[in-house]
Amino acid sequence: MMLKKIVVATSLLLVMLMLYLIPSNKDEIEVKQILEYTYPNDLEAIYLIDSYNNLSRTKISVNNQDTITKAKDLIEGLTIGGKKQDILPNGFKPLLPSNTKILDIKLTENVLTIDFSKEFLNVKKENEEQVIEALTYTLTSIKGINKISLSIEGNKLTSLPNSKKKLPEYLDKSYGINKEYELTSLSSIDSYTIYYVLNYNNEVYYTPVTKYINNENQDKVKVIIDELAASLSYETNLMTYLDTNAKLLNYEINDKTIKLDFDEFILSDITNNTILEEVVYTIGLSLCDELDLDTVIFLVNDEVITTFKLND
């Protein structure tokens, strides 16, 4: 009888031990599988149409396995009905025609070459330049991609599908975006791009505008700062938070970094030495795009206040 009780008790303990261990082991196996097959994601910049019909900068989550994978994910985000459609921020939409496929994609010496399927040509005439701008600004925002080259079914895309406007051999941010023309003649034309602040459902985002002017050998850094400090009453949807009294005292460019020394009017709170995030981003994004920089350091009377890093 005693032996029987010992056997029953031991068997019961073994069963309880197995019930305790098996679920734990199963969870461990599932976790290992998830870690093995799921790559971590990055938030990458993507340029989509907003409610004002402007291409604007927002971010989506993409696979960061490698540069090519990031580019493919972002192109899905730019495609109507693409696989990233459900994660696009509210108020934004893509323009690349639905069912457009990537037939080939490769990266050589910082130039991304993409061969699209013929569905690419289904783009509406009123959107065709915006599609090129969205592709160019989105893909060249990926670290390691400086230019892109487009082809359709193996044929180099040399002009827009409908208007036949000629395209450069390689596309980069010098192509411009949300273009505005402030020209008095057709000679000595220059351009610069400025990021403005917009708001959708209390979410802040940034819209770049490329302005074409007659070149008067102007200092682009000062032109951009002065433009952001100016009144925008004629464009109520594009905002800037830089105080109109703010003055750029000096600046210095070293490699990929620019130091901007302002007076105290750039501060939103003098007691805490703080600058509004919207001011930091509009200046930072504008200068990084225009001058091919990755870091903007803000100083007030030679004292470092904050730093903007494009890759952050």
Side-chain angles (χ1 to χ4, degrees), residues 159-173:
S159 61
L160 295 176
N162 297 290
S163 66
K164 304 305 178 184
K165 178 181 177 181
K166 288 187 177 181
L167 294 172
E169 182 178 2
Y170 298 105
L171 292 156
D172 58 23
K173 287 188 172 71

Side-chain angles (χ1 to χ4, degrees), residues 240-262:
T240 171
Y241 289 81
L242 181 60
D243 192 308
T244 56
N245 295 309
K247 293 292 184 291
L248 179 64
L249 305 177
N250 194 17
Y251 72 88
E252 176 187 342
I253 300 176
N254 185 11
D255 194 19
K256 293 278 191 177
T257 298
I258 185 170
K259 290 182 178 181
L260 303 171
D261 190 14
F262 286 91

